[in-house]
mmCIF file of all heavy atoms in Angstrom:
data_model
loop_
_atom_site.group_PDB
_atom_site.id
_atom_site.type_symbol
_atom_site.label_atom_id
_atom_site.label_comp_id
_atom_site.label_asym_id
_atom_site.label_seq_id
_atom_site.Cartn_x
_atom_site.Cartn_y
_atom_site.Cartn_z
ATOM 1 N N GLU A 152 96.855 91.875 108.524
ATOM 2 C CA GLU A 152 98.265 92.211 108.308
ATOM 3 C C GLU A 152 99.013 90.994 107.752
ATOM 4 O O GLU A 152 99.880 91.109 106.877
ATOM 5 C CB GLU A 152 98.907 92.703 109.601
ATOM 6 C CG GLU A 152 100.309 93.228 109.430
ATOM 7 C CD GLU A 152 100.438 94.403 108.484
ATOM 8 O OE1 GLU A 152 99.534 95.257 108.460
ATOM 9 O OE2 GLU A 152 101.417 94.473 107.740
ATOM 10 N N ALA A 153 98.703 89.804 108.269
ATOM 11 C CA ALA A 153 99.353 88.583 107.759
ATOM 12 C C ALA A 153 99.076 88.374 106.291
ATOM 13 O O ALA A 153 99.998 88.086 105.491
ATOM 14 C CB ALA A 153 98.897 87.365 108.572
ATOM 15 N N ALA A 154 97.827 88.578 105.867
ATOM 16 C CA ALA A 154 97.472 88.396 104.443
ATOM 17 C C ALA A 154 98.244 89.410 103.589
ATOM 18 O O ALA A 154 98.733 89.048 102.511
ATOM 19 C CB ALA A 154 95.986 88.547 104.244
ATOM 20 N N LYS A 155 98.369 90.634 104.039
ATOM 21 C CA LYS A 155 99.134 91.660 103.306
ATOM 22 C C LYS A 155 100.586 91.218 103.180
ATOM 23 O O LYS A 155 101.197 91.382 102.116
ATOM 24 C CB LYS A 155 99.057 93.011 104.000
ATOM 25 C CG LYS A 155 97.711 93.674 103.940
ATOM 26 C CD LYS A 155 97.734 94.991 104.691
ATOM 27 C CE LYS A 155 96.359 95.620 104.796
ATOM 28 N NZ LYS A 155 96.362 96.864 105.590
ATOM 29 N N THR A 156 101.140 90.685 104.230
ATOM 30 C CA THR A 156 102.531 90.213 104.243
ATOM 31 C C THR A 156 102.713 89.048 103.221
ATOM 32 O O THR A 156 103.658 89.041 102.469
ATOM 33 C CB THR A 156 102.950 89.773 105.633
ATOM 34 O OG1 THR A 156 102.858 90.895 106.512
ATOM 35 C CG2 THR A 156 104.401 89.250 105.622
ATOM 36 N N TYR A 157 101.789 88.095 103.234
ATOM 37 C CA TYR A 157 101.867 86.968 102.312
ATOM 38 C C TYR A 157 101.751 87.456 100.861
ATOM 39 O O TYR A 157 102.476 86.974 99.984
ATOM 40 C CB TYR A 157 100.780 85.943 102.582
ATOM 41 C CG TYR A 157 100.793 85.341 103.971
ATOM 42 C CD1 TYR A 157 99.616 84.960 104.576
ATOM 43 C CD2 TYR A 157 101.986 85.180 104.662
ATOM 44 C CE1 TYR A 157 99.625 84.415 105.870
ATOM 45 C CE2 TYR A 157 101.983 84.635 105.950
ATOM 46 C CZ TYR A 157 100.808 84.254 106.531
ATOM 47 O OH TYR A 157 100.814 83.716 107.790
ATOM 48 N N CYS A 158 100.869 88.401 100.630
ATOM 49 C CA CYS A 158 100.724 88.968 99.277
ATOM 50 C C CYS A 158 102.021 89.594 98.807
ATOM 51 O O CYS A 158 102.470 89.355 97.655
ATOM 52 C CB CYS A 158 99.582 89.967 99.226
ATOM 53 S SG CYS A 158 97.947 89.205 99.330
ATOM 54 N N LYS A 159 102.638 90.372 99.662
ATOM 55 C CA LYS A 159 103.868 91.038 99.289
ATOM 56 C C LYS A 159 105.030 90.044 99.127
ATOM 57 O O LYS A 159 105.776 90.105 98.145
ATOM 58 C CB LYS A 159 104.247 92.065 100.366
ATOM 59 C CG LYS A 159 105.444 92.881 100.045
ATOM 60 C CD LYS A 159 105.685 93.982 101.101
ATOM 61 C CE LYS A 159 106.933 94.764 100.785
ATOM 62 N NZ LYS A 159 107.205 95.787 101.783
ATOM 63 N N ALA A 160 105.137 89.096 100.030
ATOM 64 C CA ALA A 160 106.262 88.138 100.004
ATOM 65 C C ALA A 160 106.151 87.165 98.838
ATOM 66 O O ALA A 160 107.183 86.784 98.265
ATOM 67 C CB ALA A 160 106.300 87.375 101.323
ATOM 68 N N PHE A 161 104.947 86.738 98.483
ATOM 69 C CA PHE A 161 104.789 85.674 97.503
ATOM 70 C C PHE A 161 104.146 86.155 96.204
ATOM 71 O O PHE A 161 103.887 85.335 95.296
ATOM 72 C CB PHE A 161 103.973 84.524 98.083
ATOM 73 C CG PHE A 161 104.619 83.909 99.285
ATOM 74 C CD1 PHE A 161 104.077 84.097 100.541
ATOM 75 C CD2 PHE A 161 105.780 83.149 99.179
ATOM 76 C CE1 PHE A 161 104.655 83.537 101.676
ATOM 77 C CE2 PHE A 161 106.366 82.589 100.302
ATOM 78 C CZ PHE A 161 105.795 82.785 101.549
ATOM 79 N N GLY A 162 103.857 87.448 96.114
ATOM 80 C CA GLY A 162 103.186 87.955 94.901
ATOM 81 C C GLY A 162 101.751 87.438 94.793
ATOM 82 O O GLY A 162 101.249 87.274 93.690
ATOM 83 N N ALA A 163 101.127 87.185 95.925
ATOM 84 C CA ALA A 163 99.772 86.645 95.935
ATOM 85 C C ALA A 163 98.729 87.732 95.828
ATOM 86 O O ALA A 163 99.011 88.922 96.048
ATOM 87 C CB ALA A 163 99.547 85.859 97.237
ATOM 88 N N ASP A 164 97.506 87.331 95.469
ATOM 89 C CA ASP A 164 96.361 88.231 95.439
ATOM 90 C C ASP A 164 95.283 87.638 96.339
ATOM 91 O O ASP A 164 95.139 86.408 96.401
ATOM 92 C CB ASP A 164 95.779 88.330 94.011
ATOM 93 C CG ASP A 164 96.737 88.974 93.054
ATOM 94 O OD1 ASP A 164 97.218 90.067 93.370
ATOM 95 O OD2 ASP A 164 97.020 88.378 92.002
ATOM 96 N N ILE A 165 94.517 88.507 96.989
ATOM 97 C CA ILE A 165 93.397 88.045 97.777
ATOM 98 C C ILE A 165 92.230 87.834 96.790
ATOM 99 O O ILE A 165 91.825 88.773 96.116
ATOM 100 C CB ILE A 165 93.019 89.061 98.861
ATOM 101 C CG1 ILE A 165 94.155 89.187 99.882
ATOM 102 C CG2 ILE A 165 91.707 88.661 99.562
ATOM 103 C CD1 ILE A 165 93.989 90.281 100.892
ATOM 104 N N THR A 166 91.747 86.606 96.706
ATOM 105 C CA THR A 166 90.699 86.298 95.734
ATOM 106 C C THR A 166 89.325 86.167 96.389
ATOM 107 O O THR A 166 88.306 86.182 95.687
ATOM 108 C CB THR A 166 91.024 84.995 94.982
ATOM 109 O OG1 THR A 166 91.273 83.945 95.911
ATOM 110 C CG2 THR A 166 92.289 85.213 94.128
ATOM 111 N N PHE A 167 89.280 86.002 97.703
ATOM 112 C CA PHE A 167 88.022 85.905 98.408
ATOM 113 C C PHE A 167 88.284 86.248 99.863
ATOM 114 O O PHE A 167 89.299 85.828 100.419
ATOM 115 C CB PHE A 167 87.454 84.499 98.326
ATOM 116 C CG PHE A 167 86.097 84.342 98.963
ATOM 117 C CD1 PHE A 167 84.969 84.851 98.364
ATOM 118 C CD2 PHE A 167 85.966 83.704 100.159
ATOM 119 C CE1 PHE A 167 83.723 84.701 98.943
ATOM 120 C CE2 PHE A 167 84.720 83.554 100.772
ATOM 121 C CZ PHE A 167 83.604 84.070 100.152
ATOM 122 N N GLU A 168 87.391 87.047 100.466
ATOM 123 C CA GLU A 168 87.574 87.437 101.867
ATOM 124 C C GLU A 168 86.260 87.630 102.558
ATOM 125 O O GLU A 168 85.286 88.102 101.951
ATOM 126 C CB GLU A 168 88.419 88.698 101.984
ATOM 127 C CG GLU A 168 87.799 89.920 101.364
ATOM 128 C CD GLU A 168 88.661 91.167 101.458
ATOM 129 O OE1 GLU A 168 89.908 91.042 101.503
ATOM 130 O OE2 GLU A 168 88.075 92.251 101.495
ATOM 131 N N ILE A 169 86.213 87.232 103.808
ATOM 132 C CA ILE A 169 85.087 87.508 104.692
ATOM 133 C C ILE A 169 85.700 88.051 105.980
ATOM 134 O O ILE A 169 86.500 87.367 106.620
ATOM 135 C CB ILE A 169 84.258 86.239 105.005
ATOM 136 C CG1 ILE A 169 83.684 85.658 103.730
ATOM 137 C CG2 ILE A 169 83.150 86.579 106.018
ATOM 138 C CD1 ILE A 169 83.017 84.302 103.930
ATOM 139 N N LYS A 170 85.342 89.289 106.316
ATOM 140 C CA LYS A 170 85.857 89.891 107.552
ATOM 141 C C LYS A 170 84.851 89.744 108.672
ATOM 142 O O LYS A 170 83.653 89.543 108.440
ATOM 143 C CB LYS A 170 86.172 91.366 107.325
ATOM 144 C CG LYS A 170 87.348 91.572 106.379
ATOM 145 C CD LYS A 170 87.678 93.034 106.221
ATOM 146 C CE LYS A 170 88.857 93.185 105.275
ATOM 147 N NZ LYS A 170 89.127 94.610 105.015
ATOM 148 N N ASN A 171 85.364 89.860 109.908
ATOM 149 C CA ASN A 171 84.460 89.811 111.060
ATOM 150 C C ASN A 171 83.545 91.036 111.073
ATOM 151 O O ASN A 171 83.687 91.922 110.225
ATOM 152 C CB ASN A 171 85.239 89.653 112.376
ATOM 153 C CG ASN A 171 86.128 90.873 112.674
ATOM 154 O OD1 ASN A 171 86.169 91.833 111.937
ATOM 155 N ND2 ASN A 171 86.834 90.808 113.780
ATOM 156 N N GLY A 172 82.609 91.080 111.990
ATOM 157 C CA GLY A 172 81.606 92.128 112.040
ATOM 158 C C GLY A 172 82.139 93.541 112.096
ATOM 159 O O GLY A 172 81.544 94.456 111.523
ATOM 160 N N ASN A 173 83.276 93.746 112.761
ATOM 161 C CA ASN A 173 83.815 95.100 112.850
ATOM 162 C C ASN A 173 84.966 95.365 111.888
ATOM 163 O O ASN A 173 85.611 96.370 111.951
ATOM 164 C CB ASN A 173 84.185 95.457 114.312
ATOM 165 C CG ASN A 173 85.208 94.496 114.884
ATOM 166 O OD1 ASN A 173 85.762 93.666 114.188
ATOM 167 N ND2 ASN A 173 85.445 94.601 116.188
ATOM 168 N N GLY A 174 85.214 94.392 110.996
ATOM 169 C CA GLY A 174 86.216 94.575 109.941
ATOM 170 C C GLY A 174 87.670 94.572 110.385
ATOM 171 O O GLY A 174 88.520 95.056 109.663
ATOM 172 N N THR A 175 87.943 94.002 111.547
ATOM 173 C CA THR A 175 89.303 94.047 112.094
ATOM 174 C C THR A 175 90.087 92.757 111.888
ATOM 175 O O THR A 175 91.266 92.701 112.191
ATOM 176 C CB THR A 175 89.301 94.376 113.571
ATOM 177 O OG1 THR A 175 88.544 93.382 114.267
ATOM 178 C CG2 THR A 175 88.708 95.751 113.844
ATOM 179 N N ALA A 176 89.430 91.702 111.359
ATOM 180 C CA ALA A 176 90.111 90.413 111.163
ATOM 181 C C ALA A 176 89.363 89.631 110.098
ATOM 182 O O ALA A 176 88.163 89.853 109.841
ATOM 183 C CB ALA A 176 90.124 89.608 112.436
ATOM 184 N N TYR A 177 90.062 88.718 109.472
ATOM 185 C CA TYR A 177 89.437 87.822 108.510
ATOM 186 C C TYR A 177 88.810 86.632 109.214
ATOM 187 O O TYR A 177 89.432 86.039 110.098
ATOM 188 C CB TYR A 177 90.440 87.290 107.481
ATOM 189 C CG TYR A 177 90.862 88.290 106.445
ATOM 190 C CD1 TYR A 177 92.191 88.662 106.293
ATOM 191 C CD2 TYR A 177 89.922 88.873 105.596
ATOM 192 C CE1 TYR A 177 92.595 89.573 105.338
ATOM 193 C CE2 TYR A 177 90.313 89.795 104.648
ATOM 194 C CZ TYR A 177 91.644 90.144 104.518
ATOM 195 O OH TYR A 177 92.015 91.048 103.573
ATOM 196 N N GLU A 178 87.577 86.326 108.867
ATOM 197 C CA GLU A 178 87.009 85.043 109.265
ATOM 198 C C GLU A 178 87.427 83.992 108.244
ATOM 199 O O GLU A 178 87.585 82.831 108.569
ATOM 200 C CB GLU A 178 85.491 85.170 109.337
ATOM 201 C CG GLU A 178 85.038 86.034 110.518
ATOM 202 C CD GLU A 178 83.531 86.085 110.646
ATOM 203 O OE1 GLU A 178 82.803 85.439 109.864
ATOM 204 O OE2 GLU A 178 83.071 86.773 111.573
ATOM 205 N N HIS A 179 87.584 84.445 106.986
ATOM 206 C CA HIS A 179 88.029 83.567 105.915
ATOM 207 C C HIS A 179 88.701 84.444 104.846
ATOM 208 O O HIS A 179 88.203 85.518 104.545
ATOM 209 C CB HIS A 179 86.861 82.820 105.289
ATOM 210 C CG HIS A 179 87.268 81.856 104.221
ATOM 211 N ND1 HIS A 179 87.739 80.593 104.510
ATOM 212 C CD2 HIS A 179 87.277 81.971 102.876
ATOM 213 C CE1 HIS A 179 88.001 79.974 103.377
ATOM 214 N NE2 HIS A 179 87.739 80.780 102.358
ATOM 215 N N CYS A 180 89.820 83.981 104.307
ATOM 216 C CA CYS A 180 90.524 84.713 103.267
ATOM 217 C C CYS A 180 91.244 83.695 102.364
ATOM 218 O O CYS A 180 91.902 82.777 102.859
ATOM 219 C CB CYS A 180 91.544 85.656 103.923
ATOM 220 S SG CYS A 180 92.481 86.619 102.738
ATOM 221 N N GLU A 181 91.080 83.862 101.058
ATOM 222 C CA GLU A 181 91.735 82.965 100.117
ATOM 223 C C GLU A 181 92.733 83.765 99.288
ATOM 224 O O GLU A 181 92.413 84.877 98.849
ATOM 225 C CB GLU A 181 90.712 82.305 99.191
ATOM 226 C CG GLU A 181 89.766 81.389 99.946
ATOM 227 C CD GLU A 181 88.717 80.764 99.060
ATOM 228 O OE1 GLU A 181 88.768 80.925 97.801
ATOM 229 O OE2 GLU A 181 87.821 80.084 99.597
#
């Protein structure tokens, strides 16, 4: 949710992501 908020607020794009095993959080997100 934080990454979505940053994307909306700053016009950012997610360029790389690694989610945890159950897909509920980022272990790493750029």
Side-chain angles (χ1 to χ4, degrees):
E152 187 61 36
K155 289 178 187 177
T156 300
Y157 301 149
C158 287
K159 185 176 178 181
F161 300 108
D164 296 307
I165 296 173
T166 54
F167 184 75
E168 62 182 29
I169 300 172
K170 292 183 180 175
N171 64 0
N173 58 8
T175 59
Y177 285 121
E178 290 183 0
H179 183 82
C180 180
E181 295 178 6

